[in-house]
Amino acid sequence: MRRPLRVLFLCTANSARGQMAEGLLRALGGERFEVASAGVEPGTLHPLAVKAMAEVGIDISTHEAKSVDRFVDKAFDYVITVCDAAAERCPVFPGAAKRVHWSVEDPAKARGSEEERLAAFRAARDALRAHIEAFVASI
């Protein structure tokens, strides 16, 4: 059996998009992937990201925002940036075979009622899911 492909999702704060992508790939890719996420300026896990993921049966409530610095000496098969700012500031990873960029709007910037803000997290989750389903199918 081949070793799992190592994938790192990178975003700015690692509070929403990277966390949701990590949870989705773990759920959709299973044992075929070793998955982590990190931020170039880590914040804290956004409660609406947790809520949006729980709606699709994926629990990310125990995730924590991590700094990209924790991973710069690790080898990854794929480094996937999920926001434009992270793509611009992504460090070079030794041994990263492929760098991929998915531009996903930051749901944490949404304004309005909680329901309106949750809708932005759902949209980001669904966009990430579409990217991840295509990614898993292509491997």
Side-chain angles (χ1 to χ4, degrees):
M1 185 174 150
R2 276 188 4 198
R3 73 164 174 79
L5 290 174
R6 295 181 186 106
V7 178
L8 176 67
F9 289 104
L10 189 61
C11 62
T12 303
N14 194 222
S15 64
R17 291 167 289 182
Q19 297 288 351
M20 291 191 290
E22 178 182 351
L24 284 162
L25 184 55
R26 285 182 195 277
L28 299 172
E31 294 180 6
R32 293 175 50 201
F33 299 92
E34 253 179 55
V35 189
S37 66
V40 293
E41 295 173 12
T44 57
L45 180 61
H46 199 293
L48 291 178
V50 174
K51 188 171 186 173
M53 294 300 289
E55 291 178 347
V56 295
I58 299 172
D59 181 8
I60 63 168
S61 64
T62 60
H63 287 201
E64 64 180 51
K66 299 166 289 298
S67 171
V68 69
D69 296 340
R70 181 190 280 188
F71 299 101
V72 292
D73 61 343
K74 306 245 186 301
F76 289 95
D77 299 295
Y78 291 89
V79 174
I80 302 174
T81 53
V82 292
C83 74
D84 297 335
E88 292 170 9
R89 297 174 54 194
C90 184
V92 173
F93 286 86
K98 190 153 189 177
R99 203 167 136 191
V100 178
H101 177 63
W102 301 335
S103 184
V104 177
E105 200 144 335
D106 186 358
K109 290 184 177 176
R111 299 291 170 246
S113 68
E114 180 168 334
E115 188 57 36
E116 290 168 325
R117 290 182 297 128
L118 181 57
F121 280 84
R122 289 176 179 136
R125 175 201 64 207
D126 295 346
L128 288 165
R129 182 181 204 119
H131 283 296
I132 289 167
E133 286 173 344
F135 175 72
V136 170
S138 74
I139 304 284

